Amino acid sequence: MKTIENVPEYSKAGNFYRAFLMRIAKSIFSYKLRVKIYRHLGMEIGKDTYIGSGLEVIDNTLAGLIKLGNRVTIATGSTIVVSSGPNNSNLKEIYPRRIGEVIIEDDVWIGTGTIILPGITIGTMSIIAAGAMVTEDVPPYTIVGGVPARFIKNVEVKNI
């Protein structure tokens, strides 16, 4: 997993502002406005990218760790996790917080209800089936699905 060394810290007011904008972006009617809000929050988003309503970003203070290529489609109700840990539990001694970039390359289609964990790269022209949980990198031109996501088949590219 690719981990991040310098994690940005925000004030309580800054965190509230980011959470407020994230909530607006999740439910706003226009995907173009949604993309603008996510860019404002620090996501790198390529041209002609579609983000469906209800995208959940966990931890929203780290939205800058998400990089979306050109012509990416993220369907409704998907979740991108850039930070995960047991918080105040004693488990944090055994399982420390994981923080990692999520990189989704060009021409990727993310199905409804997909969950992508920290430190994942999804290769060009890949498809993630609805409801999948992506726990490992996905090579380019690959279709994956299931929990955890597993190889289904390669994408057959005709003359595009």
Side-chain angles (χ1 to χ4, degrees), residues 71-159:
R71 299 168 305 280
V72 169
T73 296
I74 301 177
T76 301
S78 294
T79 302
I80 299 176
V81 182
V82 292
S83 172
S84 180
N87 295 327
N88 297 322
S89 167
N90 287 329
L91 287 171
K92 68 183 175 190
E93 302 302 322
I94 303 165
Y95 300 103
R97 181 178 179 200
R98 292 179 54 193
I99 301 171
E101 282 186 314
V102 172
I103 300 170
I104 302 174
E105 297 177 353
D106 295 345
D107 300 299
V108 171
W109 176 15
I110 307 291
T112 300
T114 296
I115 300 171
I116 303 169
L117 296 183
I120 299 296
T121 297
I122 299 175
T124 300
M125 297 214 41
S126 291
I127 300 171
I128 312 301
M133 179 182 285
V134 183
T135 61
E136 298 176 352
D137 289 349
V138 176
Y141 302 93
T142 303
I143 300 173
V144 299
V147 178
R150 296 286 179 236
F151 175 83
I152 294 174
K153 69 181 210 174
N154 289 316
V155 174
E156 296 178 26
V157 179
K158 308 254 184 324
N159 297 336

Side-chain angles (χ1 to χ4, degrees), residues 5-128:
E5 299 282 328
N6 299 320
V7 178
E9 294 289 329
Y10 296 97
S11 67
K12 286 184 181 181
N15 284 337
F16 176 80
Y17 171 74
R18 296 177 72 76
F20 178 73
L21 283 181
M22 197 66 72
R23 183 162 303 254
I24 289 172
K26 282 174 62 172
S27 59
I28 201 160
F29 61 92
S30 166
Y31 83 89
K32 290 183 179 183
L33 286 174
R34 197 174 300 125
V35 166
K36 284 184 180 186
I37 293 170
Y38 286 128
R39 281 185 178 132
H40 177 74
L41 290 168
M43 283 188 197
E44 288 182 30
I45 302 174
K47 293 180 183 177
D48 300 322
T49 290
Y50 172 85
I51 300 173
S53 63
L55 174 65
E56 195 70 54
V57 175
I58 314 230
D59 173 343
N60 69 38
T61 62
L62 301 173
L65 297 179
I66 299 171
K67 296 173 181 21
L68 307 178
N70 298 315
R71 299 168 305 280
V72 169
T73 296
I74 301 177
T76 301
S78 294
T79 302
I80 299 176
V81 182
V82 292
S83 172
S84 180
N87 295 327
N88 297 322
S89 167
N90 287 329
L91 287 171
K92 68 183 175 190
E93 302 302 322
I94 303 165
Y95 300 103
R97 181 178 179 200
R98 292 179 54 193
I99 301 171
E101 282 186 314
V102 172
I103 300 170
I104 302 174
E105 297 177 353
D106 295 345
D107 300 299
V108 171
W109 176 15
I110 307 291
T112 300
T114 296
I115 300 171
I116 303 169
L117 296 183
I120 299 296
T121 297
I122 299 175
T124 300
M125 297 214 41
S126 291
I127 300 171
I128 312 301

